[in-house]
Amino acid sequence: MMGAPFALTLSLTQTRKITGGETRVVGVSIPVIQEGEDLFAYIERVKGAFDPTLYRQVLGAANEFKEGDQMIGVAAIDDQSRDNARQLIERTRIQDLNAHPVFEDELHQMIVKGQSPEAHDRAAKMTVGELKQLLLTQKEAAIKAVAPGLSSDVIGCVVKLMSQQELIAVGAKVFNPLPGSQIGAKGYLGARIQPNSPTDNPDDIFWQVLDGWSYAVGDVVLGTNPVSSEPESVRAVELVLRDLLVTFGVEDVMPHCVLSHIDVQAEVERQSPGSTALWFQSIAGSDDANKTFDISLKKMRDYARSRTGKYGLYFETGQGADFTNGHSHGFDMVLHESRKYGFARALTHEVAAAQKAAGKTPAPWVHLNDVAGFIGPEVFRTREQLVRCCLEDIVMGKLHGLTIGLDVCSTLHMDVSLDDLDWCLDQIMPANPAYLMALPTKIDPMLGYLTTGFQDHVRIREKFGTRVNDAMWAFFQKLGVIDADGKPTKHFGDPTWVYLQYRRKKGDTRSDAAIIKAGRQQLAEIRKRGVFIAEGFGQKPSELNPALKIEIDQIYQDAKKSIWAELSPAFVAGVPSVLPVKTQSNDRLEYILHPTTGEQLSKESQTAVQQLRQQHGDKYNVQIVISDGLNALSIMDEGQLEPFLKELRSQLQAAGFRPAEQNIVVRSGRVRAGYRIGEMLFGGLADNRAILHIIGERPGTGHHTFSVYMTSPTGAVWGQAGQVDHNITRVVSGIATTALKPTKAAQDTVRILQQMNLG
């Protein structure tokens, strides 16, 4: 229901292939280089002196092609330019790269301090090409003698020079297992059970964990993405997850985590000591980008220094998050991602130091999940690019000394299908990521994107011979879902069997039949809410039950329709007191491929909003905005928008707010389009002024859901162009007749808006 500030807005689904010819080709041209010339000699020859812009362009041009690099103007124009950029980097000394940071801010300084001075000196005189050869030809011990001294810029540069097979070769011989476990060790593949619910319903979350365990999956963390980041709601989910671990006696084997903002997790722990375990936070590759996540280096250092228990910190990152939030700083996605790993490495050192100061053996349980493919085709579009991204990130993470897992995922409007994800996993697994996500099916019922299902883990175990953390494997054997030889038993894929064991642990004395009947009743209710639960399997244990597979395919097809749907003229005309406007997206394709066009109003629409400002003056303090977003069907479906608007206006007036009579309806609108409207309407006025932006989201969940984004700073803040962003916005999401009821969502919206204004 209620979300905290966040920066990554889901982008989902497509109905047709998108070809490279449909976008304008721009990029970096490096037609000729001289024999023996390195990166800095080239820049000197071309520019007459060091030029930071050209420096970043050449570094970006060395990457395999991705749309995100092209969008900021650092992708190579052709293969020859890419090859030349790589040769220039290959000949460049590491000490020269270190002397020219790609971007200098406080994070850069923190990354430098996190390097080992001894290892730094060993690598300084090498060229990047020589480093590449060391990584390919030397054993793990030799690599680990050098890696701690490598800067994030250097690590990001060396992966640019490697082929897919070379990346796999390095990934397959460098391992950083979590202390006291085999998670991240050679031959092991872990799983984060991701038991998400469209409404944070405890039963949805509870049963998805039982479901994963019935397939002998789930040994890294029980990690729920919350819809609500209200401390009370987060605490309730934390306790559900904790109860499962404690009841089965495995709380010292794996932790639980609710992936709310780290401030919220800290508050929950303060209010209810012992309710949390592993603490989560998304991190970015620059100071400015981290502000979007409402974090600072000081805040993260302080939290790292407080983590003196077994379970430390859990980070999530992903290529493209920085530039899509307006913080590219002119350099490419690989280097941004590498800097995030440098941030994580430095914070890992902080956790280790805190444990040592507390008199404990420094063994920080810290790991990082690379959410590759989450943002959409503005970052990259194809399955081949997804594989490349994952391989780059595995190697960069391992060279930073991290235990790195992957969310090999796809938004539904990328050119990556359900079947394509299987192919991607087969290409990536030889590089040995520490873990993958794990859900009942490939579709997340709350976030509405494609990722790894429970039975994908079973297939990978069969194909690649990977193993589960030993302590959890023994637990699965004791649970009775696998036998002493690791083979599925008759209870494999039966969550009601695991439920029976849970109830027995709780002292339930009812008959087996009575407990299983009660479990089946709960499962029926969960499925009515549109949450997927896998049971049984197809012809092999690694295949979905055929009936469930049909259902998932149908949801996938509905998601395709949702992403390409547009608000009809008749619907817009039927919205009460409507002011229709449009963004700079010329059509739906441009809206999907170039999200920034959906963040700015067209000139005609800007004029219309400015005229509305003149009419209103300072009369109103709330403006309702309605956008199609990524799921226009969620706005147009009968019984969704109308009752929400009616209840919202009633609640606003009862609470003393002054909502404007007009509803502004935006065609091809993204969340930031609401901020731009707020600037035009409220800039310079006194007191708090709120934009309530209703927007269609998350096709692929099985629901047609919309969200409302609440932003309520003062008129002085609205008056500063670009100042208002996601970090001061709250959101109520998952609104649909089949999920969070529209009238209840309207009540929650006004309650949170009151809290925001009081704060």
Side-chain angles (χ1 to χ4, degrees):
M1 288 175 274
M2 293 81 69
F6 68 94
L8 294 181
T9 302
L10 273 178
S11 318
L12 304 171
T13 322
Q14 69 168 27
T15 54
R16 64 188 180 87
K17 303 278 187 182
I18 302 171
T19 66
E22 292 177 281
T23 57
R24 185 168 58 93
V25 178
V26 295
V28 180
S29 177
I30 310 174
V32 178
I33 60 174
Q34 295 181 356
E35 186 174 352
E37 192 171 44
D38 73 358
L39 175 55
F40 297 102
Y42 171 79
I43 295 172
E44 179 78 21
R45 177 171 61 83
V46 172
K47 291 289 187 178
F50 178 73
D51 181 84
T53 299
L54 181 56
Y55 181 49
R56 292 166 182 162
Q57 289 173 339
V58 177
L59 292 175
N63 285 337
E64 286 293 315
F65 176 77
K66 299 188 187 88
E67 278 74 13
D69 290 338
Q70 183 185 55
M71 193 169 292
I72 65 168
V74 298
I77 195 75
D78 53 30
D79 289 341
Q80 182 64 55
S81 296
R82 182 175 297 106
D83 289 343
N84 284 340
R86 289 175 176 171
Q87 288 185 55
L88 293 173
I89 293 172
E90 187 174 26
R91 299 165 184 165
T92 300
R93 291 192 180 278
I94 288 173
Q95 63 184 12
D96 294 333
L97 282 175
N98 288 335
H100 296 81
V102 71
F103 185 69
E104 293 192 73
D105 58 2
E106 289 186 17
L107 178 56
H108 168 70
Q109 296 302 322
M110 185 177 185
I111 291 170
V112 170
K113 291 178 182 177
Q115 295 172 227
S116 161
E118 296 81 8
H120 176 272
D121 292 342
R122 292 190 194 102
K125 294 295 199 309
M126 298 170 61
T127 65
V128 181
E130 290 168 343
L131 173 61
K132 172 187 169 182
Q133 288 306 308
L134 182 149
L135 298 176
L136 293 173
T137 60
Q138 298 299 306
K139 295 182 179 180
E140 182 181 33
I143 294 172
K144 285 192 170 183
V146 171
L150 299 177
S151 69
S152 297
D153 287 356
V154 170
I155 291 173
C157 283
V158 75
V159 300
K160 298 169 184 280
L161 307 183
M162 294 185 187
S163 67
Q164 310 287 82
Q165 288 305 312
E166 287 170 337
L167 290 169
I168 289 170
V170 176
K173 63 180 176 180
V174 178
F175 299 93
N176 305 303
L178 290 177
S181 79
Q182 293 78 38
I183 296 167
K186 185 176 179 63
Y188 285 80
L189 179 69
R192 168 197 155 190
I193 291 184
Q194 185 170 298
N196 291 345
S197 165
T199 56
D200 285 342
N201 187 292
D203 287 343
D204 296 351
I205 293 163
F206 174 87
W207 276 94
Q208 287 180 78
V209 175
L210 300 188
D211 197 20
W213 283 350
S214 76
Y215 290 97
V217 172
D219 59 336
V220 177
V221 60
L222 305 181
T224 301
N225 297 90
V227 180
S228 167
S229 276
E230 296 295 301
E232 297 79 10
S233 179
V234 170
R235 176 181 177 276
V237 177
E238 294 272 15
L239 292 177
V240 169
L241 299 175
R242 181 178 180 275
D243 171 70
L244 279 160
L245 295 168
V246 170
T247 299
F248 282 108
V250 291
E251 70 273 22
D252 290 330
V253 177
M254 68 181 298
H256 63 283
C257 180
V258 175
L259 282 70
S260 60
H261 192 279
I262 196 167
D263 290 345
V264 177
Q265 295 164 81
E267 176 61 19
V268 169
E269 182 63 23
R270 188 191 67 79
Q271 294 180 6
S272 183
S275 59
T276 69
L278 191 67
W279 283 11
F280 160 83
Q281 182 56 49
S282 291
I283 58 175
S286 68
D287 294 347
D288 292 339
N290 277 311
K291 288 178 184 176
T292 308
F293 291 120
D294 193 25
I295 60 172
S296 65
L297 302 192
K298 181 183 184 305
K299 177 184 287 189
M300 292 307 298
R301 281 195 197 98
D302 289 345
Y303 280 132
R305 291 165 182 169
S306 75
R307 307 301 293 155
T308 56
K310 176 177 180 178
Y311 301 123
L313 295 170
Y314 169 29
F315 305 113
E316 285 196 349
T317 66
Q319 287 194 31
D322 306 84
F323 92 83
T324 56
N325 282 293
H327 302 295
S328 75
H329 295 295
F331 65 97
D332 64 88
M333 299 190 298
V334 168
L335 290 175
H336 272 287
E337 188 71 6
S338 189
R339 284 167 57 97
K340 296 167 199 175
Y341 301 163
F343 191 9
R345 177 172 66 183
L347 291 172
T348 303
H349 295 335
E350 296 282 2
V351 176
Q355 291 183 337
K356 185 176 181 181
K360 300 178 181 179
T361 302
W365 187 294
V366 178
H367 58 86
L368 183 143
N369 176 31
D370 169 37
V371 188
F374 184 77
I375 298 175
E378 63 267 34
V379 174
F380 51 81
R381 302 184 200 172
T382 69
R383 67 179 193 172
E384 291 80 11
Q385 290 172 313
L386 177 56
V387 168
R388 176 72 191 189
C389 172
C390 289
L391 294 177
E392 290 167 347
D393 294 351
I394 289 171
V395 172
M396 290 194 296
K398 290 188 175 188
L399 292 180
H400 278 93
L402 302 175
T403 305
I404 182 166
L406 292 177
D407 192 344
V408 184
C409 62
S410 168
T411 58
L412 285 139
H413 63 340
M414 287 171 62
D415 193 10
V416 180
S417 69
L418 290 163
D419 291 337
D420 285 336
L421 281 183
D422 289 342
W423 179 85
C424 291
L425 290 171
D426 288 349
Q427 310 309 304
I428 294 163
M429 283 309 101
N432 285 233
Y435 61 89
L436 300 173
M437 301 302 99
L439 294 85
T441 74
K442 278 185 169 70
I443 298 182
D444 187 295
M446 187 270 279
L447 295 174
Y449 75 125
L450 306 183
T451 186
T452 319
F454 295 148
Q455 284 165 285
D456 293 316
H457 283 266
V458 178
R459 183 181 72 83
I460 290 167
R461 292 199 300 244
E462 292 173 351
K463 181 166 185 175
F464 294 97
T466 55
R467 300 171 63 185
V468 170
N469 188 34
D470 291 350
M472 281 303 291
W473 193 247
F475 165 69
F476 295 140
Q477 290 175 319
K478 186 177 180 180
L479 197 58
V481 297
I482 52 173
D483 63 22
D485 296 323
K487 302 297 183 184
T489 68
K490 64 180 180 180
H491 303 302
F492 188 81
D494 182 0
T496 62
W497 168 257
V498 185
Y499 178 68
L500 175 62
Q501 312 315 304
Y502 171 83
R503 293 307 313 165
R504 291 288 181 242
K505 293 281 188 183
K506 288 292 191 182
D508 196 329
T509 58
R510 290 177 294 170
S511 68
D512 288 3
I515 293 173
I516 289 175
K517 180 180 178 181
R520 294 233 160 264
Q521 290 172 342
Q522 291 182 40
L523 284 178
E525 291 300 317
I526 289 167
R527 289 186 170 114
K528 283 181 182 178
R529 292 192 290 270
V531 175
F532 319 119
I533 299 292
E535 284 191 88
F537 45 85
Q539 294 183 350
K540 298 186 297 184
S542 58
E543 294 178 352
L544 273 181
N545 182 303
L548 181 58
K549 186 178 187 307
I550 291 171
E551 182 180 356
I552 295 302
D553 288 343
Q554 290 172 340
I555 290 172
Y556 179 76
Q557 294 304 319
D558 177 72
K560 288 182 176 181
K561 295 177 183 177
S562 297
I563 193 69
W564 289 97
E566 298 182 72
L567 297 176
S568 68
F571 176 83
V572 173
V575 175
S577 302
V578 65
L579 173 65
V581 299
K582 63 181 181 178
T583 65
Q584 295 176 9
S585 297
N586 291 315
D587 53 34
R588 196 66 179 168
L589 180 64
E590 184 174 36
Y591 172 78
I592 289 170
L593 292 184
H594 300 289
T596 54
T597 63
E599 297 176 352
Q600 302 288 340
L601 296 187
S602 67
K603 289 184 178 180
E604 297 84 358
S605 295
Q606 290 178 37
T607 300
V609 174
Q610 289 163 353
Q611 290 173 346
L612 192 64
R613 162 70 179 263
Q614 294 174 356
Q615 295 172 22
H616 287 176
D618 64 353
K619 183 177 181 181
Y620 303 114
N621 60 8
V622 176
Q623 175 64 58
I624 296 171
V625 177
I626 304 163
S627 293
D628 46 10
L630 293 161
N631 193 348
L633 297 181
S634 70
I635 303 295
M636 293 191 293
D637 281 356
E638 187 175 353
Q640 302 237 116
L641 181 64
E642 183 181 1
F644 178 82
L645 282 178
K646 182 178 179 181
E647 182 68 13
L648 178 63
R649 288 189 172 276
S650 174
Q651 292 288 326
L652 285 169
Q653 291 167 356
F657 289 102
R658 306 189 308 277
E661 297 173 0
Q662 290 92 343
N663 295 298
I664 299 177
V665 177
V666 185
R667 192 190 77 186
S668 298
R670 293 188 178 262
V671 175
R672 286 193 174 96
Y675 305 154
R676 305 292 82 80
I677 290 172
E679 291 170 355
M680 286 183 276
L681 287 179
F682 298 142
L685 299 181
D687 305 321
N688 289 79
R689 308 279 168 158
I691 291 292
L692 303 184
H693 192 173
I694 302 161
I695 188 165
E697 290 192 312
R698 299 177 180 174
T701 62
H703 307 269
H704 288 171
T705 63
F706 63 87
S707 301
V708 54
Y709 287 77
M710 297 162 282
T711 314
S712 186
T714 64
V717 174
W718 281 119
Q720 302 174 50
Q723 181 68 24
V724 175
D725 206 9
H726 303 318
N727 61 312
I728 61 170
T729 293
R730 301 284 293 281
V731 59
V732 175
S733 59
I735 306 168
T737 57
T738 56
L740 176 61
K741 302 300 182 186
T743 52
K744 175 65 165 59
Q747 295 163 12
D748 291 337
T749 298
V750 176
R751 175 174 57 80
I752 295 171
L753 184 60
Q754 288 177 301
Q755 294 171 356
M756 292 171 71
N757 281 4
L758 288 173

